[in-house]
């Protein structure tokens, strides 16, 4: 089982993140990558739904339908890197090399990812962190394509997935390939999870269109405070919802595949109705524990 030791718990509480090397088996990594290969080989994305996900400015640049992203919380949808389409929406690079990520309900809609997300060792890990009634709120498969995988600016996950009180959001990041300095490993500011959330992404629930805005602003970050966190294939990184982290552009010839999902402790917690992601009648946030 994957219970944390007292020293690991203390380090996570101090730093806001924790690396667990060797969490996934080789078979688990292979199974997820093979399943993603099948999904990509069979994807059929209409021209009007080909959506570019831009992390640099945390904005979406959509060829037509805005709701392709905003209504993806209970679906499995494909999002692409910048520069992979021509002006008509046709691929300029092989489709399998063009994808930024797949989200946001792999944990609920796909049996391979559901099995990994709800595995006994993930449940044991959550219990050792003291989570009593956690639910899975979203999941993503991130590709970080060679030479195309863009940088992710410094941010806090709770900016986009806000709870009251704070401190109830936990990211689980699983490396399915080695994450290195060259291909865009994660960087963290240790201890930055203790200062609250600097800004929030707000969705207006009363609008007929998906309208969002930011409350607050992202402060300038001292790059010298960031610590690189390269990990090997099979590693897991625990990410506190308020810890500041980023990743650089993939400058290498190797991709950096990862599967990541977020848990929320529901005990005495309110999920903000202003979050872009909301549970639906068809797919409420599933409990982690079976």
């Amino acid at each position: 089982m994957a219970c944390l030791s007292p020293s690991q718990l203390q380090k996570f509480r101090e730093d806001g993140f924790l690396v667990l090397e060797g969490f996934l088996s080789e078979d688990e990594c292979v199974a997820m990558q093979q399943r993603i290969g099948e999904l990509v080989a069979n994807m059929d994305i209409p021209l009007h739904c080909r959506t570019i996900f831009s992390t640099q400015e945390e904005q979406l640049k959509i060829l037509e339908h805005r709701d392709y992203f905003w209504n993806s919380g209970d679906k499995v949808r494909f999002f692409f890197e910048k520069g992979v389409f021509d002006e008509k929406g046709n691929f300029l690079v092989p489709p399998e090399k063009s994808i930024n990520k797949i989200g946001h309900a792999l944990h609920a809609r796909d049996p391979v990812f559901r099995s990994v997300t709800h595995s006994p060792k993930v449940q044991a890990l959550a219990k050792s962190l003291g989570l009593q009634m956690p639910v899975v709120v979203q999941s993503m498969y991130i590709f970080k394509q060679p030479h195309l995988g863009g940088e992710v600016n410094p941010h806090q996950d709770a900016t986009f997935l806000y709870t009251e009180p704070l401190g109830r959001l936990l990211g689980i990041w699983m490396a399915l390939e080695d994450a290195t300095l060259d291909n865009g490993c994660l960087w963290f500011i240790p201890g930055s999870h203790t200062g609250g959330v600097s800004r929030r992404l707000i969705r207006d629930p009363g609008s007929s269109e998906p309208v969002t805005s930011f409350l607050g602003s992202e402060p300038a970050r001292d790059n010298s405070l960031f610590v690189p966190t390269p990990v090997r294939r099979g590693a897991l990184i625990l990410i506190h919802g308020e810890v500041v982290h980023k990743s650089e552009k993939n400058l290498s010839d190797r991709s950096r595949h990862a599967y990541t999902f977020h848990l929320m402790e529901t005990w005495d917690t309110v999920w903000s109705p202003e979050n872009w992601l909301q549970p639906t009648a068809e797919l409420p946030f599933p409990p982690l524990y079976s």
Side-chain angles (χ1 to χ4, degrees):
M1 303 300 283
C3 294
L4 297 180
S5 67
S7 61
Q8 288 175 318
L9 278 169
Q10 182 63 25
K11 183 166 181 58
F12 176 68
R13 289 167 181 159
E14 290 176 354
D15 292 345
F17 69 98
L18 181 71
V19 173
L20 301 175
E21 291 282 3
F23 186 87
L24 295 175
S25 69
E26 178 67 16
D27 287 345
E28 288 170 317
C29 293
V30 169
M32 283 189 277
Q33 288 187 292
Q34 286 182 342
R35 179 56 183 148
I36 285 297
E38 294 168 358
L39 292 175
V40 171
N42 293 313
M43 72 175 178
D44 182 17
I45 311 299
L47 288 175
H48 64 271
C49 290
R50 294 185 178 178
T51 298
I52 297 167
F53 189 80
S54 172
T55 53
Q56 186 172 3
E57 299 176 354
E58 284 120 2
Q59 293 178 345
L60 292 170
K61 297 179 181 179
I62 301 175
L63 299 181
E64 283 190 23
H65 286 182
R66 291 172 59 93
D67 65 353
Y68 186 78
F69 176 85
W70 300 116
N71 294 331
S72 65
D74 59 351
K75 301 173 182 66
V76 175
R77 287 185 167 172
F78 301 82
F79 304 94
F80 299 90
E81 294 287 355
K82 293 184 291 185
V84 301
F85 298 126
D86 65 17
E87 66 278 3
K88 296 181 180 180
N90 299 308
F91 286 103
L92 295 172
V93 299
E96 68 275 9
K97 298 296 184 182
S98 68
I99 303 176
N100 173 289
K101 70 175 185 177
I102 299 175
H104 290 93
L106 284 164
H107 63 279
R109 300 299 191 189
D110 188 271
V112 172
F113 288 92
R114 185 187 307 119
S115 176
V116 171
T117 304
H118 295 269
S119 68
K121 58 186 173 183
V122 169
Q123 294 186 26
L125 180 61
K127 289 177 181 177
S128 71
L129 285 162
L131 299 183
Q132 301 178 57
M133 299 171 58
V135 295
V136 188
V137 299
Q138 72 160 6
S139 56
M140 298 178 287
Y141 191 99
I142 303 171
F143 290 79
K144 204 76 168 180
Q145 302 283 4
H147 302 292
L148 282 172
E151 68 176 307
V152 178
N153 280 357
H155 67 283
Q156 299 167 290
D157 291 345
T159 289
F160 309 97
L161 307 171
Y162 191 82
T163 65
E164 295 179 353
L166 289 171
R168 303 303 179 92
L169 184 73
L170 176 71
I172 306 287
W173 194 94
M174 297 175 169
L176 303 184
E177 295 178 322
D178 291 349
T180 68
L181 292 174
D182 291 334
N183 72 358
C185 70
L186 299 182
W187 295 64
F188 294 89
I189 299 181
S192 58
H193 60 301
T194 61
V197 174
S198 58
R199 67 172 180 166
R200 290 180 56 194
L201 179 68
I202 302 298
R203 180 173 181 172
D204 180 4
S207 174
S208 59
E209 296 289 333
V211 176
T212 59
S213 60
F214 281 107
L215 293 180
S217 60
E218 197 69 36
R221 308 285 185 184
D222 183 350
N223 279 331
S224 68
L225 298 177
F226 283 93
V227 174
T229 312
V231 294
R232 294 186 295 273
R233 172 182 173 94
L236 180 148
I237 304 180
L238 290 173
I239 304 175
H240 190 285
E242 287 112 76
V243 72
V244 178
H245 57 292
K246 67 173 184 175
S247 67
E248 302 294 343
K249 180 179 174 62
N250 186 349
L251 300 175
S252 77
D253 297 324
R254 294 169 289 107
S255 57
R256 192 224 64 188
H257 288 200
Y259 174 57
T260 183
F261 56 94
H262 285 90
L263 303 177
M264 176 185 65
E265 172 60 80
T266 61
W267 181 260
D268 199 24
T269 305
V270 175
W271 178 257
S272 174
E274 297 173 320
N275 285 338
W276 77 268
L277 175 68
Q278 295 295 326
T280 65
E282 181 183 359
L283 185 62
F285 294 151
L288 178 66
Y289 303 146
S290 54

